[in-house]
Amino acid sequence: MMRLPVTADPLQIRDAIQHAKAGREWAAMADQAARLRMAEPGHGDGYFFGAFALRRLGQVAAAQALAREGAERFPRHRRLVTLARTADPPGAPQEDPAGEGGRKPASAEPITAPGLEARRAQAARDWPNLIGLASALKARHPEDRAGYHMLCQALRGAKRWREADQQSAAALERFPDDVPILEERARSLHRTRKHEAALACYRRMVAIDPKSTAGWAGTAESLMLLGRFDEAEQAMADALAVLPENANIMIAQVQCARRRGDFSLADARISRLEDILPDAGRLQGLRASIEINRKSDLLAGADGLAMADQRQLSVDPSEHGAMAPDGDAELLKRFESLGANCEFGLVQRLAGLEPLGLLRFSAISATQLAAMLETRLADVGTPATMTLSLNVSNEYMLADKRYFRTHTFINLGSEDEATLFRKLCRRTEFLREKLLKDIEAGNRIFLFQAATQEIAEEDVTRLHAAMRAIGPATLVFVDRGGGDAIDARDAGHGLIRATLPASAEKLSLKTMRGARYEAWRTLCRAVIALLPGGDA
């Protein structure tokens, strides 16, 4: 049997199936259904579409055999079970007895208009449109899991995390044995760091369908996130026993070896992948990540860390066209960014400021920041906790494995990696101590901007409490507003709640000029006005 590319996109295959069906190209539909069964072994749809197409081709016996095989594996797939139970007399093919929507195929009902449009939006990754279409599909066919699954996927794609979590929980309660919904629920649980609960979902997927690639890979990933690497290795060995030469499972094996620091084993596993994985770019990416981790781990034990040369690691603001009006530098230098992204760091850069700050150009969530502060930044900057990697622009990115990832503004080839890693770690240790002292002294205004509109109040409370446990510094928590309002209000005990309109533009010095810069300046003046002796 010819091996189909492992990179085949199931959404594109589904779209091809619908086009073939609309054009009554039954042979093409049967071929695409076979591809779908390989690409999505945890779905029954590949069996249903395949049996449907074979019947139209007059291959009744083959269609019934395929439908019955699928119904045995997916006994809760209503359309497939209905098709398998249909008694077909020998001879010419018949119409689908139930239709794709579970009713007689009057008018255009085999695939409803919302259903077809939703599939196309799903294939195009048009999440806002898919949210509306999937909601309509779910309301129209509450007994069909497709609307539930697509709505969960769309909410996750649109980064509406809280709604995605609620919908996945509700969907799983209604369809407890549906493999795609179990996978959506597991993804949501991972995002909230409930890895044990996610593991239970993935194991349930494997119990329902022992050939579920997503179930096995998710089981292994969950175990690795829980630090249970031996169990992860055993799970992947069990997976390959039923899915031999499965590229996704073998990639997970590479990642497991990499995370454990067994780089020789990781190299050997990549070599075995060369004949199976046709995607050379993916292999190259795996090798690059292993090489960076190998060097970082070697450097973690190096002696004699030298103090970083701040002149080398900073950026000259004159290169970026500082454009602040008089007085802005004095205003903005009173603030220090704690995340969640680089936006306020760019505001300061445009004002001609380059203050030292641990998290000024970092990506970090509110929960990660709170967890880091609760430990008083324990081990931040220690080489064993840090890694060095490259982004798509070949810029070195420094990360604490537990909390944050930060820009260095240093490109590949600018400096020997060993020397650079030592400098960056030592610089991070210095900035860690500086941050602790500034919080303890209470003479700085620390600012955290929510990365999304969905921040739980308990996360704000936890972050504020973690900071106040260290010292009396002021925390400004900036929520992303849905309108044009810019305001700041004193929430008491050193917490100021502020609102800034959300920006849909990608962060850059160019997009930060003009109205966006003015919005930040207005907000900072509003904050200062709330402080003792403040003057807006």
Side-chain angles (χ1 to χ4, degrees), residues 295-342:
K295 290 180 178 179
S296 293
D297 277 23
L298 288 172
L299 292 168
D303 296 326
L305 293 178
M307 184 63 184
D309 182 350
Q310 299 296 344
R311 291 169 299 176
Q312 183 175 355
L313 297 179
S314 63
V315 178
D316 183 357
S318 65
E319 297 176 3
H320 301 279
M323 40 111 354
D326 292 342
D328 279 14
E330 288 299 315
L331 168 70
L332 297 174
K333 75 179 183 181
R334 298 180 63 178
F335 294 83
E336 179 172 338
S337 176
L338 296 180
N341 56 31
C342 310

Side-chain angles (χ1 to χ4, degrees), residues 386-405:
M386 308 301 291
T387 61
L388 196 62
S389 62
L390 290 169
N391 66 13
V392 294
S393 302
N394 279 333
E395 176 198 350
Y396 283 111
M397 303 293 292
L398 185 71
D400 183 295
K401 300 172 187 177
R402 303 159 297 171
Y403 304 124
F404 62 85
R405 188 167 184 254

Side-chain angles (χ1 to χ4, degrees), residues 72-130:
E72 288 177 4
R73 293 189 62 189
F74 304 99
R76 293 179 179 272
H77 194 295
R78 176 179 51 79
R79 295 177 296 169
L80 187 56
V81 170
T82 301
L83 192 59
R85 289 174 178 170
T86 302
D88 285 315
Q94 300 177 4
E95 293 293 320
D96 176 17
E100 299 241 330
R103 295 169 303 285
K104 291 182 180 180
S107 67
E109 283 297 324
I111 300 180
T112 63
L116 185 57
E117 290 180 34
R119 289 292 186 196
R120 288 173 177 166
Q122 187 181 41
R125 307 176 78 83
D126 182 359
W127 306 128
N129 190 29
L130 182 57

Side-chain angles (χ1 to χ4, degrees), residues 141-157:
H141 302 296
E143 77 289 349
D144 191 343
R145 56 91 188 165
Y148 293 81
H149 175 232
M150 286 193 286
L151 182 57
C152 291
Q153 184 186 38
L155 289 168
R156 177 167 52 82

Side-chain angles (χ1 to χ4, degrees), residues 203-483:
R203 282 179 164 163
R204 179 64 181 154
M205 290 169 62
V206 172
I208 295 169
D209 178 14
K211 292 189 176 182
S212 170
T213 299
W216 284 112
T219 297
E221 176 66 17
S222 299
L223 289 167
M224 284 187 270
L225 288 170
L226 290 165
R228 292 152 59 178
F229 292 100
D230 290 339
E231 292 179 66
E233 290 281 7
Q234 183 60 55
M236 290 182 287
D238 292 343
L240 290 174
V242 294
L243 298 167
E245 295 191 349
N246 183 289
N248 290 319
I249 303 300
M250 295 176 74
I251 288 171
Q253 286 185 314
V254 173
Q255 300 289 17
C256 187
R258 178 182 66 82
R259 292 182 186 184
R260 300 184 85 164
D262 191 342
F263 301 117
S264 296
L265 179 58
D267 288 336
R269 286 175 170 175
I270 283 185
S271 297
R272 290 202 296 272
L273 265 170
E274 287 178 343
D275 296 330
I276 297 170
L277 187 64
D279 189 345
R282 196 170 183 185
L283 284 172
Q284 185 178 2
L286 282 170
R287 286 196 176 94
S289 66
I290 289 169
E291 190 60 27
I292 288 291
N293 283 143
R294 190 200 315 271
K295 290 180 178 179
S296 293
D297 277 23
L298 288 172
L299 292 168
D303 296 326
L305 293 178
M307 184 63 184
D309 182 350
Q310 299 296 344
R311 291 169 299 176
Q312 183 175 355
L313 297 179
S314 63
V315 178
D316 183 357
S318 65
E319 297 176 3
H320 301 279
M323 40 111 354
D326 292 342
D328 279 14
E330 288 299 315
L331 168 70
L332 297 174
K333 75 179 183 181
R334 298 180 63 178
F335 294 83
E336 179 172 338
S337 176
L338 296 180
N341 56 31
C342 310
E343 185 168 354
F344 190 71
L346 292 175
V347 171
Q348 291 179 313
R349 176 162 289 178
L350 285 171
L353 296 171
E354 290 295 342
L356 292 175
L358 177 66
L359 301 171
R360 184 180 169 210
F361 290 112
S362 298
I364 184 170
S365 70
T367 54
Q368 288 170 323
L369 178 58
M372 185 174 73
L373 291 172
E374 285 166 353
T375 69
R376 294 183 63 89
L377 285 69
D379 298 323
V380 171
T382 303
T385 69
M386 308 301 291
T387 61
L388 196 62
S389 62
L390 290 169
N391 66 13
V392 294
S393 302
N394 279 333
E395 176 198 350
Y396 283 111
M397 303 293 292
L398 185 71
D400 183 295
K401 300 172 187 177
R402 303 159 297 171
Y403 304 124
F404 62 85
R405 188 167 184 254
T406 189
H407 287 280
T408 67
F409 301 102
I410 300 171
N411 290 331
L412 178 67
S414 300
E415 187 171 351
D416 173 69
E417 284 183 4
T419 304
L420 177 62
F421 185 76
R422 287 194 293 268
K423 286 182 177 181
L424 290 172
C425 286
R426 190 60 179 266
R427 179 177 188 265
T428 302
E429 289 180 319
F430 167 78
L431 293 176
R432 175 195 69 198
E433 295 304 314
K434 178 181 181 298
L435 177 57
L436 284 172
K437 290 177 181 176
D438 287 342
I439 295 175
E440 289 170 348
N443 56 8
R444 300 280 289 164
I445 305 169
F446 292 96
L447 184 150
F448 182 89
Q449 180 194 10
T452 72
Q453 295 180 4
E454 307 289 340
I455 297 292
E457 282 301 313
E458 54 265 31
D459 291 337
V460 180
T461 301
R462 180 187 176 192
L463 177 56
H464 179 227
M467 176 169 283
R468 297 297 283 188
I470 297 174
T474 298
L475 171 65
V476 181
F477 193 95
V478 183
D479 290 295
R480 287 172 27 133

